Amino acid sequence: MSSQTPHTPADTQSTSPTPSRTLSLGISPCPNDTYIFHALAKGCIPLPCGFDLFMADVEVLNGRARAGTLDVTKLSLAAMAHVLDDYVLLNAGAALGRGCGPLLVAREPLSPADLAGARVAIPGRMTTANLLLSLHDVLHGPREEMVFDQVMPAVASGKADCGLVIHEGRFTYGGYGLHCVLDLGQWWESAYGLPLPLGAIAARRDLGEATILAVQDAIRRSLEYANANPAASRGWIREHAQEMSDEVTDSHIRTFVNDFSLDLRDEGRAAIRALLEKAAAISGGAGRGLPDLPLFA
């Protein structure tokens, strides 16, 4: 529940969280997630319940959310548009901000119009990056799905004409000899005047309001612990980001973890709502809106 505006999840039971209960929790191995969740995963803070950690690429998490198999999970905001009946968004743990958007990269310094019919490597159909590319509506060529860390090699080798870069690729694409053709975050901010929502934490509505809010508070306290003790999580972050230099890891955390990660606040919630409305319109036609359910805990 936001400290500024009260929100109540819909279709939840007002039951107290059971300390002996264990919830499945999905996060990605990216440094922003391991930084935020280290204290929670390692028991550095008091917890309302047990957590069974499942770590995977965000597109795998998107698929698990659509199947409803995780109690609490990180997911792309684009994927949230498909699971609103079952999940509610938490106000802590999100990746949302400015200067953090996905990049479209190519082997030559082209314009987006030059690539209108190009083959695009994408890091998953349900990613926010792919949704933003559709909203931009300039590239209409075939899209090939692959794990995010295969996108830049595919473009560099010529297997794809261009590619959508997310996560740490924002800082490393130059090492592959690639050029940024389009900064989709910059485009979103310019077009809509809002910070860009990339991913957030969602919880199953049927967990009950008390449990959902207790989990949200635990995530916020986990991030507060990380901010107060940044060295504590260093080894765990490095363990799951083995191919990243410390410099890239630090840049990743600075870019994707910010005040919105502690609390979305009204501005963050407005940005998410705007993106979800556009995602719903794309998936169901211009007349389709969001379901009549609260979006946020």
Side-chain angles (χ1 to χ4, degrees), residues 80-145:
M80 185 66 189
H82 301 280
V83 299
L84 285 167
D85 288 342
D86 297 318
Y87 285 88
V88 65
L89 287 167
L90 305 188
N91 285 284
L96 184 154
R98 291 182 168 84
C100 63
L103 307 178
L104 183 69
V105 299
R107 291 183 299 279
E108 302 293 336
L110 305 171
S111 72
D114 294 328
L115 295 165
R119 295 168 299 148
V120 189
I122 61 171
R125 293 278 171 186
M126 290 184 285
T127 59
T128 304
N130 189 51
L131 171 61
L132 289 168
L133 192 65
S134 296
L135 291 175
H136 187 266
D137 198 31
V138 170
L139 275 70
H140 301 285
R143 300 184 187 184
E144 182 179 351
E145 293 183 77

Side-chain angles (χ1 to χ4, degrees), residues 24-45 47 51 53-55 61 72-75 90 92-95 199-202 215-227 233 236-237 240 257 261:
S24 54
L25 169 63
I27 67 171
S28 82
C30 294
N32 58 307
D33 279 0
T34 49
Y35 179 84
I36 291 172
F37 284 91
H38 167 261
L40 185 152
K42 298 300 182 181
C44 302
I45 57 171
L47 298 175
F51 290 97
L53 189 64
F54 174 75
M55 193 177 290
L61 298 178
V72 181
T73 186
K74 172 72 171 287
L75 80 175
L90 305 188
I201 310 301
V215 170
Q216 175 176 270
D217 180 65
I219 295 171
R220 183 176 292 121
R221 287 186 288 108
S222 184
L223 176 51
E224 289 172 342
Y225 182 95
N227 289 340
S233 58
W236 199 56
I237 293 170
H240 296 288
V257 181
S261 304

